[in-house]
Amino acid sequence: MIDPNDPDFWSDMFSAVLGATGETFYMVLVSLLLTTLLGLLVGLLLVTTDEGGIYAKPFGSRRAGIVVNRALEIVVNIGRSIPFIILMILLIPFTRALVGSFIGPTAAIVPLTVAGVPFFARLVEIAVREVPVGVVEAAQSLGAKRGTILIKVLVAEAVPGLMLGLSTTVVSLISYSAMVGAVGGGGLGDLAFRYGYQRYSLEYMIVVVIVLVVIVQILQSLGNWAAKRISHR
């Protein structure tokens, strides 16, 4: 049990919280980058390969489009259905094979990304589907190529929704990163588990919760502000 009356208690706590916060930011930022790239790709494919989409007939075959779309739907639904703590355990062999260990901040990036991609992909799909069909049809009538429609119409028009989806995804990744700490993934979750739970330090637990709440509030507010700034509707 940790004694809060120890003269070095608060300075030790500050150092520990600062280091754990850095690990959390590292895990979340790297996994967010990977999640954004992969999730955006999957989300766009879900929309564009669906019936009536601009890539509904990849390789000149409508059947190929249906296969791609249904396969992605199944993958995304499965990814979103598995609770993160179970997914993290299931991925231990894959994580160990990929980074050489399943413990530590770097190893935690693997399950965070795998959990984040289907989550963000669905948000991307929702944002892109909100783009008015008339805008796409207008671009097609002007002879715009599919790649141009994808980037300059669908993605450009969906940017406000994508920003909100991104801020929501960040909050989810921070929540997931805290759970990773329960199995030695590092970060604030690990600090709360080792000091707050295993060593019965309520002070550590409270400080970690406060730091997490502040981080979430700041990131969510920034996401909302950015979405409003770039919205032109």
Side-chain angles (χ1 to χ4, degrees):
M1 188 173 186
I2 299 175
D3 183 8
N5 295 317
D6 189 316
D8 297 324
F9 174 79
W10 294 105
S11 61
D12 290 344
M13 176 190 284
F14 177 80
S15 298
V17 171
L18 187 63
T21 302
E23 290 180 348
T24 294
F25 274 117
Y26 165 67
M27 290 187 290
V28 171
L29 290 177
V30 175
S31 60
L32 178 64
L33 176 61
L34 296 172
T35 294
T36 302
L37 295 175
L38 297 174
L40 182 61
L41 175 62
V42 174
L44 289 174
L45 284 173
L46 282 171
V47 177
T48 57
T49 60
D50 200 2
E51 186 174 356
I54 58 175
Y55 290 107
K57 294 181 180 180
F59 316 112
S61 171
R62 181 174 178 273
R63 185 176 182 83
I66 294 175
V67 170
V68 171
N69 188 267
R70 296 298 181 269
L72 289 174
E73 279 281 353
I74 292 172
V75 170
V76 169
N77 288 336
I78 291 175
R80 296 186 63 213
S81 301
I82 304 175
F84 180 71
I85 190 69
I86 297 176
L87 178 66
M88 183 173 56
I89 295 172
L90 288 174
L91 289 173
I92 285 178
F94 176 70
T95 302
R96 185 188 288 114
L98 193 63
V99 301
S101 173
F102 68 93
I103 296 175
T106 300
I109 293 171
V110 177
L112 287 175
T113 302
V114 173
V117 168
F119 181 83
F120 183 58
R122 192 61 78 186
L123 296 179
V124 170
E125 180 190 11
I126 293 171
V128 175
R129 288 193 186 279
E130 290 180 350
V131 176
V133 177
V135 178
V136 177
E137 292 176 345
Q140 290 174 328
S141 67
L142 293 173
K145 295 182 178 180
R146 291 187 296 182
T148 302
I149 295 174
L150 178 66
I151 302 300
K152 295 188 176 181
V153 178
L154 292 177
V155 174
E157 289 290 321
V159 166
L162 293 176
M163 287 300 303
L164 289 174
L166 194 61
S167 63
T168 302
T169 303
V170 173
V171 172
S172 296
L173 289 176
I174 291 174
S175 175
Y176 292 158
S177 73
M179 284 187 259
V180 169
V183 293
L188 290 167
D190 179 59
L191 185 69
F193 182 75
R194 288 189 295 112
Y195 287 83
Y197 175 71
Q198 292 184 330
R199 300 188 185 183
Y200 310 106
S201 176
L202 181 61
E203 293 80 7
Y204 268 88
M205 190 72 75
I206 291 175
V207 170
V208 167
V209 170
I210 291 174
V211 172
L212 286 171
V213 169
V214 170
I215 291 174
V216 167
Q217 291 297 321
I218 291 175
L219 293 177
Q220 187 70 66
S221 298
L222 286 174
N224 294 340
W225 174 82
K228 290 179 181 179
R229 288 282 294 178
I230 61 181
S231 177
H232 54 271
R233 297 183 185 179

